[in-house]
């Protein structure tokens, strides 16, 4: 007798139940310290801002809805604005995903929210916050402080948390958003400041890309499969391309973007983190420090980048664009300083000087206003020696698509169906939407904030890892700024500067342009 088919909601409920059970088992094994029966208070500093309303509160609601936070958890918003919880709720409403059957639970969520108004630099306001936290629960609660704030106030806020808000017998953890400084010196200054206040295990430097399903899957694919391990080296791999492409420009936020640029915004953090996961040696275990130790070793084997290693671009308007945004170049954004040389596109070639990867280019590519939205890792293998197919054969590739539509597929050659004996490209495909039809893939923030409750730092950036990342990029950034390097222009909606394709070809990455993705049958 066949088993009954589960509906989508039933399947998701079953998966959540399995996950909760595995969480408790991990706790018993000592892999986490998820204290389910201990009171917790989660403080959102910057509760009136965009990050809070678009990401943090929706994430807290999702974790509460799915019964993934400890049973006795309170949420406290803190900001300078004169608001009530109802005001915060209205700001968040467009971003909260609430089904009709979840309305009662949703009301419960807001009932355990409170709000405190205060500044970010006055100790007396944080003393008021501290009293409020104690009033929320008679027992001593674990406390999590999320800094959804501009970096300019990190030092004053963390100093005040340390001075006024640690009076609990429970643990205290602090979540800090990137950017973690603008270069090696400013990052070291912030790190030294945090180290004077908190232990490293209390600090959670969040890079939301490390919470994405396919980024986390890199470790499983690499070290859980015999078929990949033996070929994961310079003898078989020609080059690695790690891409992050956005099909829109700065959309009126150019003033903020111009301060940092695409290298600081994406390449030095998101893409470099992925590079470490692709290139690292097998860790002793899946514990946080064992994995982060191996990532640091990769970074220590990398030289600093120079202008010769990069291609920089800046998008210009497409006069025939179909949207208002596409008809506006970067310099047309009124929030961007006149004549700005800030790159909106960057391609950089990194080399890892160790036995496994010597001579293999790791190409990092990121940009705005490009032809598509895509983030992926593309591992390209060497040409097959002894070609008997008269030049028809193309390189194999292993592709891990992070977004949109999570997928892992191998590009392979196969005989063209029919009477001929030609060969063509096809794929061995694992596309999540077809293979895992009813799977609920958590948002990156959901996964990472739950990790903070669990005390797992596996997917967070450690101090020495951050220092090595800045060591690699700081000389390049200073060189770009000192020489006022003018980026190459590329049209909105294009693939980027042609010189970037030339740089890829020069570094042993072959782009054929002939492959056609076939959407899998659902």
């Amino acid at each position: 007798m066949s088993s009954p088919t589960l509906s989508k909601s039933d399947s998701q409920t079953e998966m959540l139940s399995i996950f909760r059970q595995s969480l408790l088992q991990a706790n018993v094994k000592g892999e986490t310290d998820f204290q389910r029966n201990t009171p917790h208070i989660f403080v959102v500093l910057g509760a009136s801002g965009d990050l809070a309303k678009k990401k943090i509160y929706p994430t807290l609601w999702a974790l509460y809805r799915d019964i993934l936070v400890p049973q006795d958890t309170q949420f406290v918003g803190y900001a300078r604005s004169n608001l009530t919880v109802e005001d915060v709720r209205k700001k968040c409403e467009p971003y909260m995903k609430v089904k009709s059957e979840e309305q009662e639970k949703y009301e419960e969520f807001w009932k355990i929210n409170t709000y405190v108004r205060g500044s970010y630099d006055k100790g007396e306001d944080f003393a008021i916050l501290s009293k409020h936290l104690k009033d929320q629960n008679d027992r001593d609660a674990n406390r999590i402080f999320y800094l959804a704030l501009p970096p300019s106030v990190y030092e004053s806020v963390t100093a005040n948390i340390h001075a006024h808000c640690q009076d609990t017998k429970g643990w205290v953890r602090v979540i800090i958003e990137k950017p973690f400084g603008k270069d090696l010196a400013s990052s070291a200054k912030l790190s030294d400041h945090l180290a004077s206040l908190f232990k490293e295990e209390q600090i959670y430097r969040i890079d939301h890309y490390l919470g994405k399903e396919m980024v986390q899957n890199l470790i499983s694919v690499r070290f859980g499969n015999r078929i990949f391990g033996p070929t994961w080296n310079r003898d078989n791999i020609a080059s690695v391309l790690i891409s992050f492409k956005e099909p829109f420009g700065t959309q009126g936020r150019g003033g903020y973007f111009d301060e940092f640029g695409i290298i600081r915004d994406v390449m030095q953090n998101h893409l470099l983190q992925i590079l470490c996961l692709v290139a690292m040696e097998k860790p002793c275990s899946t514990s946080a420090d064992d994995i982060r130790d191996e990532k640091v070793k990769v970074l220590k084997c990398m030289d600093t980048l120079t202008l010769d290693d990069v291609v920089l671009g800046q998008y210009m308007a497409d006069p025939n664009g179909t949207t208002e945004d596409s008809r506006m170049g970067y310099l047309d954004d009124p929030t961007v300083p006149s004549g700005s040389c800030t790159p909106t596109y960057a391609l950089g070639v990194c080399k890892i000087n160790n036995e496994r990867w010597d001579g293999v280019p790791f190409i990092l590519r990121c940009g705005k206003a490009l032809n598509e939205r895509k983030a992926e890792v593309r591992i390209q293998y060497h040409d097959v020696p002894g070609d008997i197919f008269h030049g028809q054969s193309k390189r194999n590739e292993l592709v891990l698509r992070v977004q949109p539509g999570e997928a892992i597929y191998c590009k392979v050659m196969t005989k063209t169906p029919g009477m001929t004996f030609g060969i063509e490209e096809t794929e061995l495909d694992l596309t999540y939407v077809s293979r895992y039809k009813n799977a609920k893939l958590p948002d990156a923030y959901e996964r990472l904030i739950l990790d903070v409750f669990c005390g797992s730092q596996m997917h967070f950036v450690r101090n020495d890892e951050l220092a090595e990342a800045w060591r690699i990029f700081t000389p390049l950034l200073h060189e770009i700024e000192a020489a006022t390097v003018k980026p190459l222009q590329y049209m909105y909606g294009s693939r980027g500067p042609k010189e970037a394709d030339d740089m890829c070809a020069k570094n042993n990455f072959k782009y054929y342009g002939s492959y056609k993705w076939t959407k899998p049958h659902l």
Side-chain angles (χ1 to χ4, degrees):
M1 184 176 180
S2 62
S3 58
T5 303
L6 292 174
S7 69
K8 186 173 182 179
S9 60
D10 287 341
S11 176
Q12 289 184 358
T13 300
E14 182 182 23
M15 289 175 70
L16 280 169
S17 177
I18 293 170
F19 175 76
R20 291 188 206 103
Q21 189 61 37
S22 66
L23 187 62
L24 293 173
Q25 288 173 351
N27 210 36
V28 170
K29 294 175 185 176
E31 295 172 3
T32 75
D33 67 344
F34 186 68
Q35 299 170 12
R36 187 173 184 81
N37 299 315
T38 301
H40 288 67
I41 299 178
F42 192 103
V43 183
V44 183
L45 295 141
S48 61
D50 269 6
L51 179 61
K53 72 181 181 183
K54 291 179 180 178
K55 285 293 183 183
I56 310 308
Y57 276 104
T59 295
L60 296 176
W61 151 241
L63 293 174
Y64 179 80
R65 176 198 63 207
D66 294 338
I67 322 176
L68 292 175
V69 294
Q71 293 173 340
D72 188 359
T73 299
Q74 305 278 325
F75 304 108
V76 178
Y78 182 90
R80 292 176 296 199
S81 305
N82 188 17
L83 301 174
T84 64
V85 170
E86 190 59 34
D87 294 328
V88 175
R89 176 174 176 168
K90 286 177 182 176
K91 282 174 171 282
C92 298
E93 211 72 58
Y95 309 98
M96 308 291 268
K97 298 175 182 177
V98 186
K99 298 176 183 176
S100 56
E101 65 269 22
E102 297 167 346
Q103 195 60 44
E104 184 177 346
K105 186 88 174 176
Y106 187 61
E107 296 300 328
E108 290 176 9
F109 169 74
W110 284 109
K111 284 178 182 176
I112 58 172
N113 271 268
T114 54
Y115 180 84
V116 177
R117 181 190 180 189
S119 66
Y120 299 128
D121 57 353
K122 294 180 181 176
E124 54 266 33
D125 287 350
F126 279 83
I128 293 170
L129 172 62
S130 180
K131 182 179 182 304
H132 179 81
L133 298 182
K134 283 186 281 191
D135 290 344
Q136 295 311 295
N137 204 301
D138 293 331
R139 294 176 290 169
D140 291 311
N142 295 327
R143 296 177 182 178
I144 298 172
F145 295 88
Y146 197 116
L147 275 63
L149 296 165
S152 57
V153 299
Y154 283 176
E155 291 193 17
S156 62
V157 168
T158 50
N160 279 311
I161 290 171
H162 177 264
H164 301 284
C165 299
Q166 291 205 110
D167 49 345
T168 174
K169 291 180 182 176
W171 47 249
V172 172
R173 292 171 184 162
V174 179
I175 307 173
I176 299 175
E177 276 276 350
K178 76 173 185 70
F180 315 117
K182 290 188 68 175
D183 56 17
L184 182 58
S186 58
S187 175
K189 181 174 179 287
L190 176 60
S191 292
D192 289 346
H193 170 77
L194 293 173
S196 72
L197 305 174
F198 307 104
K199 297 176 182 177
E200 181 64 25
E201 57 265 28
Q202 291 180 273
I203 303 168
Y204 288 73
R205 299 174 188 85
I206 190 168
D207 181 341
H208 76 276
Y209 243 69
L210 289 178
K212 289 188 176 292
E213 179 74 21
M214 217 32 72
V215 175
Q216 296 199 342
N217 202 9
L218 269 166
I219 293 175
S220 303
V221 168
R222 279 201 61 190
F223 303 119
N225 294 288
R226 177 68 178 168
I227 60 173
F228 296 127
T231 65
W232 211 273
N233 53 49
R234 64 190 178 94
D235 296 330
N236 298 282
I237 292 175
S239 57
V240 179
L241 175 63
I242 303 173
S243 295
F244 177 95
K245 301 167 74 176
E246 291 181 327
F248 49 83
T250 51
Q251 299 179 323
R253 295 181 68 249
Y256 168 80
F257 179 85
D258 200 77
E259 185 181 351
F260 296 98
I262 196 71
I263 294 176
R264 289 185 177 95
D265 195 43
V266 178
M267 186 179 285
Q268 182 271 343
N269 39 69
H270 298 336
L271 300 193
L272 194 62
Q273 287 290 327
I274 295 175
L275 179 151
C276 290
L277 292 172
V278 172
M280 72 183 192
E281 297 298 320
K282 188 174 185 177
C284 300
S285 73
T286 56
S287 74
D289 278 333
D290 284 343
I291 289 173
R292 295 194 295 182
D293 285 347
E294 295 303 332
K295 288 166 67 182
V296 171
K297 288 178 186 177
V298 172
L299 296 173
K300 286 183 174 180
C301 291
M302 293 173 62
D303 293 331
T304 57
L305 291 177
T306 69
L307 278 175
D308 292 336
D309 300 316
V310 299
V311 172
L312 305 176
Q314 188 184 87
Y315 70 87
M316 59 182 182
D318 176 3
N320 300 314
T322 57
T323 66
E324 184 179 348
D325 192 44
S326 63
R327 293 190 295 272
M328 180 184 291
Y330 180 68
L331 295 180
D332 299 323
D333 185 332
T335 66
V336 172
S338 177
S340 169
C341 289
T342 298
T344 61
Y345 177 101
L347 182 143
V349 180
C350 302
K351 300 289 178 64
I352 301 171
N353 303 313
N354 63 17
E355 186 177 4
R356 180 182 294 273
W357 297 115
D358 186 32
V360 179
F362 281 73
I363 305 166
L364 308 182
R365 176 178 66 184
C366 51
K368 290 183 171 293
L370 295 172
N371 60 327
E372 60 186 336
R373 175 175 176 259
K374 181 187 286 184
E376 67 179 14
V377 180
R378 191 170 290 268
I379 297 163
Q380 192 170 90
Y381 286 77
H382 287 300
D383 295 306
V384 174
D387 178 28
I388 62 172
F389 297 105
H390 312 292
Q392 295 182 74
S393 186
K394 295 169 184 173
R395 287 181 172 180
N396 297 138
E397 289 183 356
L398 173 63
V399 182
L400 292 95
R401 194 168 63 224
V402 178
Q403 65 183 31
E406 293 85 351
I408 305 173
Y409 62 95
C410 295
K411 286 170 64 175
V412 297
M413 302 305 297
T414 186
K415 177 186 172 297
T416 303
M419 296 292 285
T420 66
F421 198 67
I423 60 174
E424 63 179 33
E425 290 174 290
T426 187
E427 69 279 334
L428 303 176
D429 175 34
L430 165 58
T431 297
Y432 272 47
V433 73
S434 55
R435 176 63 179 84
Y436 302 113
K437 294 178 185 176
N438 295 328
K440 177 188 181 296
L441 298 182
D443 177 83
Y445 276 93
E446 291 176 38
R447 193 189 306 267
L448 294 175
I449 288 179
L450 180 58
D451 279 348
V452 180
F453 277 99
C454 293
S456 172
Q457 290 193 316
M458 181 190 301
H459 307 299
F460 293 84
V461 182
R462 200 169 64 188
N463 184 29
D464 55 345
E465 186 180 349
L466 181 62
E468 286 296 326
W470 277 121
R471 175 191 62 79
I472 293 164
F473 279 92
T474 293
L476 171 66
L477 291 165
H478 287 179
E479 192 176 1
I480 291 170
E481 289 158 4
T484 318
V485 177
K486 191 171 178 61
L488 301 164
Q489 288 195 315
Y490 64 95
M491 188 167 294
Y492 192 115
S494 68
R495 296 184 66 248
K498 178 185 179 298
E499 289 82 351
D501 287 338
D502 296 340
M503 179 76 92
C504 284
K506 180 182 173 184
N507 284 278
N508 207 13
F509 183 86
K510 289 190 177 180
Y511 174 71
Y512 300 100
S514 59
Y515 177 71
K516 297 289 186 290
W517 169 260
T518 303
K519 190 174 181 179
H521 175 69
L522 299 183

